[in-house]
Amino acid sequence: MRKRLLAIFPLLLEHFAMAQTAPKPTPKPKVAPAPTSNSKPSLKAQQAPSEPKPSPQTRSGQTHATTTLSEFERRDKTLMVGLEMGFTLSFVSGLRAGYFITPNLIAEGSYATGIVSFLGYGGDKTLIEAKLKYFIGNSFYVDLGYSRENWDLTLPIFNDKTFDVVDIKGQVQNDGLGIRIGNQWQWQSFTLGCDWVGAFSAFSTKASFETLGDLEEVQRAREEDDAITNFGGNSAHLLRLYLGWAF
């Protein structure tokens, strides 16, 4: 029995060595099944690549990714109405309206009134304007146009001779050209703007006065000349704020 085991042992070692050195079979590649007529394409295959949306474009050809730019917001507007207030030698408030000839050019008109109470004078002021507003860039503008200022005045005068108080009533009318610079911002339909500073140059001044009481001619003429000096001719405009709607 021992001799048989010794004879079989070399054969087992030889068989084990041959098994270790034998080449391993290579796996066969997997072949995807051919698509049939009933098979549906995947969801990703159905979705076409989306094209990038163009950015909003202004009238000047510049594109912007948002719609908050005032120049872009003005592109489809036709009319504008609003309220205004500011200083034109006296405080005034009123209405203004405009027509958009182009997004950067507006024909505008305004009507404002105020109360006069300074330099001893009392009365009312009326301001009528017709102008063109041109935008330079996004919101900054320059406007130029015709203006008419009407001053209805009452001035109590102390008579140097009789020591009585005599009222002089008068009207001063100025016609001329006004120029202003400012900014106007647009958020969809809402409009907010301000004429920061402006100047009025009169090419015509008319005045008429009435004295209610006895007053010497020299003193009456002097008071009338002072009224024309104070309210006639050129003037400055400052901080005229307005807000409204454009559509």
Side-chain angles (χ1 to χ4, degrees), residues 211-226:
T211 304
L212 304 179
D214 295 329
L215 195 64
E216 288 191 354
E217 182 67 21
V218 174
Q219 187 177 3
R220 183 186 63 81
R222 183 175 67 248
E223 299 296 343
E224 292 178 0
D225 290 342
D226 289 343

Side-chain angles (χ1 to χ4, degrees), residues 51-57 63-67 72:
E51 297 181 358
K53 296 182 180 180
S55 299
Q57 192 174 45
T63 57
H64 300 274
T66 63
T67 58
F72 179 77

Side-chain angles (χ1 to χ4, degrees), residues 216-247:
E216 288 191 354
E217 182 67 21
V218 174
Q219 187 177 3
R220 183 186 63 81
R222 183 175 67 248
E223 299 296 343
E224 292 178 0
D225 290 342
D226 289 343
I228 294 175
T229 300
N230 292 327
F231 297 96
N234 306 332
S235 62
H237 297 181
L238 183 66
L239 294 179
R240 292 177 63 185
L241 179 69
Y242 57 92
L243 56 87
W245 297 264
F247 47 89

Side-chain angles (χ1 to χ4, degrees), residues 12 16 19 30 44-45 53 61 78 94 107 115 119 128 136 145 181 203 214 225 227 230 243:
L12 292 174
F16 180 76
K30 293 182 179 180
K44 291 183 179 180
K53 296 182 180 180
T78 303
I115 297 175
L119 298 178
I128 302 172
I136 304 173
I181 59 173
F203 52 70
D214 295 329
D225 290 342
N230 292 327
L243 56 87

